[in-house]
Amino acid sequence: MQLYGTDISSRLLLGTAQYPSPAVLRKAIETSRAEIITVSLRRETADGSGAGFWELLKDSGCKVLPNTAGCHSVQEAVVTAQMARELFGTDWIKLEVIGNSDTLQPDVFGLVEAARVLCADGFKVFPYTTDDLVVGEKLLEAGCELLMPWGAPIGSGQGLRNPDALRAMRAHFPDVPLIVDAGIGRPSDATHAMELGMDAVLLNTAVAKAGDPALMAKAMAQAIEAGCNGYIADPMDPRDMAVPSTPTLGMAELI
Amino acid sequence: MITIAGAGLAGLASAYELAKRGASVTLFEKAEQPGEGSVARFAGGMLAPFCERESAEEEVITLGGQAADWWSQVTTVTRRGTLVVTPPRDQAELTRFARRTSHFAEVSGQAIAELEPALKGRFERGLYFAEEAHLDPRRALDDLATAVQSLGVEIRFGTSAPPEVDLNCTATAASLPDLRAVRGEMAILHCPEVQLSRVIRLLHPRMPLYLVPRADGLFMIGGTMVESNSDRSPTLRSLTEMMSAAFAIHPAFAEASVVEIGAGLRPAFPDNLPRLVEHDGSLHLNGLYRHGFLLAPALAQQAAHHLLKETCT
């Protein structure tokens, strides 16, 4: 899989928030074999005051994808992205512009506007969006080279609320990397996303809040690999009738 | 003579353990008053090993089990347990919390009303951790300072420690490898209309809160954990969320006076557990994180054993 020209072999992108401790997080990163970790840049840590935590993640060998989590306006998201570029030395940015503080639903209008500003400024934007096709097109026009549709609201763990829309997205954007971001609760949800032809899955809470985050991280990685292989292998379609799977030729004469 | 840098929670507790074993101890403290420079003054003062196990390692129980008895030697400990509740919409949080913890009883709305009459009709389900306790952190620090002084320990206030000491207990001021600061924010409310006798924890997916009753109609609220070494005043966002959560516990908190707000930096190692570390010629006791009052006694005992070359049992 290529994201903005970079070869990435792990299709699991892992968030780094809400773990019981940085030590547990490190273990989860290792067992997940993720190559990309997201780091939330709250405005209050944008001055570098969160360095102690980030220092512990530096030697994980992962590529850092900073995000603009919790930003509610274009201006706020753009400023946060610029701070993140300085702080982490990367032009990758996961762009979140939140439209509703209860559902954490993306404000797709603000998102497109912010994406346009950031892409023009040389950022490689990973936009957290809905499964709306028109919004997807506008984001690509703005300069994004991939899309990150939600599966369900952030942190809800509901799985894929609208798999048909994701299937339509795959068909509509056959050559654009699609990463399901948000809503994954269980490994089967991640498999489901990959079986729909998604290129990768980004998740955080499902691992961080599991009883054993390291084991869940491993399970998610396995589930994603299974779903990916399942999609590539071109699965059979369901049939209405039973079809015997045992050959009839050469049956033993029992009398 | 044993020298200790820092007369905060870890330094005082270690001095107490050392003095009880007959050692002669001197504490150096930059601040002028007991507890003034200690992050522990912003603590909740909960002795809640079983609740903490929800997100911490098993050690919080094994090391924290004797904390209430230890503190009872020097200060007032309120042994009324912890009541964990959640808004009706977030019942799943309570179920998850119950799966991750032990030593509680599931309680109905009626049982909650019997435990805390002020909460009658407010919550349908809860978890009651009867064996847990709490104390008033500032009073406990004062009482502990008095106790160590009466054991003959000298505390030199307003005095920086020499470069090498036997035990360094300077929390986030110590430059130890892998030690980081985790910011916590709190507020103290005055609300004599609400009578609560034990710690209430409100579970919520976004704004979990603990509310600790103190004397004279005061309540401490807290619960934020931010990966930051900034000790500026609490943010509006954190305060708004904490105060909304307090209002969700009881609407009378809407009329509470905000007596104080504060933020502190908790020292933590990567596994969020405290430990003794040899570094630059001193033994360090550090990394108490959010479990200061709970784990300081056990760590202080370990430090005393170590410094007096006793065998750990």
Side-chain angles (χ1 to χ4, degrees), chain B residues 9 46-49 52 60-61 63-65 67 71 291-298:
Chain B
L9 180 50
M46 292 171 289
L47 305 173
E52 287 300 306
V60 291
I61 295 177
L63 295 175
W71 283 106
H291 306 122
F293 285 92
L294 180 63
L295 301 185

Side-chain angles (χ1 to χ4, degrees), chain A residues 42-56:
Chain A
R42 282 174 73 154
R43 290 294 292 277
E44 58 197 88
T45 52
D47 54 1
S49 59
F53 177 70
W54 300 325
E55 205 58 40
L56 298 172

